[in-house]
């Protein structure tokens, strides 16, 4: 049941209060001791007698009339089985063919909310490349709205992604990557407002400070991937052995593994000459190479790459969302929900008022029957 | 003298607890307006002299005696000196209406006390008959006090038998007398009327004083009310405003019927309404009585 004007119930209940008090008050009419009743005709029976509370049937009938009038004034809208079936038989469907599927889903949900009762469904059409729809987009759609995917057309040929920033010459440079079929190109797009200092400390055992300085300057001129926040490393050249500190930090373990893999793949540096460890939250790299060694800068590049985020190249590729994922996201529309009050064009108050009229007519009939009973009961006494 | 100015409101008199004093107040008020005594007839048989009392008919004053003695005496005649009266007082429960300011019973009792006082003060005999009490007609101050005491002790209650009471009063009155019946006459009308006729046939003079209240005449009730019969306890709830018309028609017809019946039987009839000062009411009654007796 939906009530169009629920406040009307309070108004009519408030009005009923004085009526009830009036009925009860009238029942307590005063008693007058009188010398004789012979001249008082029974025809002028007091209204309190007609509304005597001892006539329970009339009382409940009148209560029913008041309640039905309250219900009628409140504008009832019955959610009947027939109405529910009619709503469920209708499906309101909206197609989303936007290139920006996320925005399309938002607009579709907003539009569906304004529609009359019925099942609701969104159909997402397009190439559906990876990244065009995410779990968060699906979660933002109300659970009663069905979702269906249809692949149409072809995947887009190009895709532009944001690439990781690089640090060079004391600047942090933003980059953009364009995937065009099998070709991938990257270009600088601007400068980032961030700390551009390379978080790699360079040290050499046995002095050789000048060599360390030259190495630091050479590294600064390189274009190295911007490290993730909080990640730092210390590279010690001419190191004969590590202090055997175990690595407990996951990122340090991951960085050390990546660096070790890069060194091994590159082959220029002997893996046995490099040792990895941790000092707190700092990646420790010990190398037997000296700071003047030509491979020293290579080692620093490897360490710098290990501090940056690992690229997830498969996610960047222009491929379609797997069918299994689309099936997992798809769902049938739920049964239609009753409409909001402002969606209801016509409520059922006319039936309620009709019931009120019928009850009033019935009450009148019952009351007259009761009066006739009283009148016929008085006839013998008057004759006496 | 302005007679109207001497009238005392019934509720005021009713506050006086001494019934003899009440009677005296009423009698003084009514006698002052009468030209002559209302209870002395026109018998030619001289009986005796007595001192003049205010109200005595001037034609019965012996002027020769006045000239001789410088005192005023009234002649009394045989029949008047032998007048006996009986006061029949209705003590039914219906006489207890209204409760304020003065009930019909209190009013009727005041009238009865005044009549008894008047009759007794003129040397005549007076008795009292109610459902529960009987005092034969006697004269004298002592008897008057007993009569007034019996009136004070009476009270309205259920079980009034009007026909029997009237019969007893008429039979015990003996020779021709004066029968005053003070009642609302709601009960046993036909039987009561029959006994009154019988009393008249016995030679008594019958005076019907129908006592009623203003509320009974006008039915001044506006809203719903449950009316409870004082005698039977039966009740009826009515819309008083709607019932007023038929009620007033009914009670008017009832009072008119008694007036006509009394007239047809040559009874003296007076309608005594409780809100009229008793002395004024009695004066009207006695004046009408004198007019009836005028040849």
């Amino acid at each position: 049941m939906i009530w169009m004007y629920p406040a009307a119930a309070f108004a009519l209940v408030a009005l009923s209060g004085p009526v009830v008090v009036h009925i009860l008050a009238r029942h307590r009419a005063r008693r007058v001791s009188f010398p004789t009743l012979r001249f008082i005709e029974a025809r002028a029976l007091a209204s309190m007698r007609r509304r005597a509370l001892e006539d329970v049937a009339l009382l409940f009938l009148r209560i029913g009339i008041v309640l039905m009038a309250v219900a009628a004034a409140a504008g009832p809208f019955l959610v009947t089985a027939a109405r529910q079936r009619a709503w469920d038989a209708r499906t309101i469907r909206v197609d989303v063919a936007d290139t920006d599927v996320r925005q399309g889903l938002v607009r579709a949900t907003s539009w569906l909310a304004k529609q009359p009762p019925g099942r609701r469904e969104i159909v997402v059409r397009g190439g559906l490349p990876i990244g065009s729809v995410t779990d968060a987009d699906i979660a933002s759609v109300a659970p009663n709205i069905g979702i269906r995917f249809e692949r149409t057309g072809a995947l887009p040929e190009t895709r532009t992604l944001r690439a990781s920033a690089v640090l060079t010459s004391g600047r942090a440079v933003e980059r953009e990557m364009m995937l065009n079929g099998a070709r991938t190109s990257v270009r600088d797009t601007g400068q980032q407002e961030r700390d551009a200092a390379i978080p790699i400390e360079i040290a050499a055992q046995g002095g050789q400070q000048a060599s360390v300085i030259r190495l630091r300057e050479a590294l600064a001129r390189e274009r190295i991937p911007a490290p993730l926040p909080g990640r730092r490393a210390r590279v010690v050249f001419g190191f004969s052995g590590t202090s055997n500190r175990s690595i407990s930090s996951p990122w340090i373990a991951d960085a050390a593994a990546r660096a070790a893999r890069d060194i091994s793949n590159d082959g220029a540096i002997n893996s046995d000459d490099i040792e990895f460890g941790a000092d707190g939250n700092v990646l420790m790299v010990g190398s037997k190479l000296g700071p003047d060694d030509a491979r020293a800068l290579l080692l620093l590049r490897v360490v710098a790459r290990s501090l940056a985020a690992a690229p997830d190249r498969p996610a960047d590729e222009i491929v379609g969302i797997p069918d299994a994922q689309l099936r997992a996201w798809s769902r049938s529309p739920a049964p239609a929900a009753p409409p909001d009050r402002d969606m209801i064009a016509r409520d059922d108050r006319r039936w309620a008022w009709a019931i009120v009229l019928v009850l009033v007519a019935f009450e009148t009939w019952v009351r007259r029957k009761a009066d006739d009973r009283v009148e016929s009961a008085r006839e013998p006494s008057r004759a006496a | 003298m302005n007679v109207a100015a001497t009238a005392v409101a019934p509720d005021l008199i009713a506050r006086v607890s001494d019934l003899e004093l009440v009677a005296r107040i009423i009698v003084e008020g009514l006698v002052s307006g009468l030209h002559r005594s209302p209870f002395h007839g026109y018998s030619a048989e001289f009986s005796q002299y007595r001192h003049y009392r205010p109200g005595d008919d001037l034609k019965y004053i012996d002027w020769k005696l006045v000239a001789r003695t410088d005192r005023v005496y009234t002649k009394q005649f045989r029949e008047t000196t032998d007048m006996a009266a009986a006061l029949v007082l209705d003590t039914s429960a219906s006489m207890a209406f209204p409760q304020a300011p003065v009930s019909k019973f209190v009013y009727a009792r005041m009238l009865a006390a005044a009549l008894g006082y008047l009759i007794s003060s003129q040397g005549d005999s007076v008795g009292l008959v109610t459902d529960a009490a009987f005092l034969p007609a006697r004269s004298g101050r002592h008897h008057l006090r007993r009569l007034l005491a019996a009136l004070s002790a009476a009270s309205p209650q259920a079980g009034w038998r009007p026909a029997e009471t009237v019969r007893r009063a008429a039979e015990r009155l003996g020779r021709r007398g004066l029968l005053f019946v003070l009642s609302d006459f709601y009960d046993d009308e036909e039987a009561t009327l029959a006994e009154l006729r019988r009393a008249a046939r016995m030679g008594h003079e019958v005076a019907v004083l129908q006592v009623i209240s203003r509320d009974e005449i006008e039915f001044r009730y506006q809203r719903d009310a449950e009316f409870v019969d004082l005698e039977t306890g039966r009740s009826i709830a009515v819309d008083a405003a709607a019932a007023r018309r038929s009620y007033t028609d009914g009670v008017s017809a009832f009072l008119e019927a008694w007036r006509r019946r009394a007239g047809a039987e040559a009874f003296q009839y007076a309608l005594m309404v409780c809100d009229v000062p008793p002395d004024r009411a009695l004066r009207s009654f006695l004046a009408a009585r004198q007019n009836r007796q005028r040849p």
Side-chain angles (χ1 to χ4, degrees), chain A residues 20-65:
Chain A
V20 170
V21 170
H22 178 75
I23 289 172
L24 293 176
R26 284 174 69 96
H27 179 64
R28 291 192 298 271
R30 61 180 178 149
R31 284 170 66 91
V32 178
S33 295
F34 209 67
T36 181
L37 304 184
R38 60 197 283 186
F39 306 115
I40 301 176
E41 285 196 354
R43 287 186 193 280
L45 282 174
S47 56
M48 65 157 209
R49 176 65 70 188
R50 288 195 289 272
R51 295 179 195 142
L53 292 181
E54 57 205 8
D55 194 344
V56 177
L58 264 180
L59 171 65
F60 280 110
L61 195 51
R62 285 162 183 163
I63 289 173
I65 290 171

Side-chain angles (χ1 to χ4, degrees), chain B residues 10 20 35 76 123 137 144 236 250 253 259 276:
Chain B
E20 184 174 350
H35 297 299
Q76 281 193 308
L144 174 64
I236 183 170
R259 192 189 64 76
V276 174

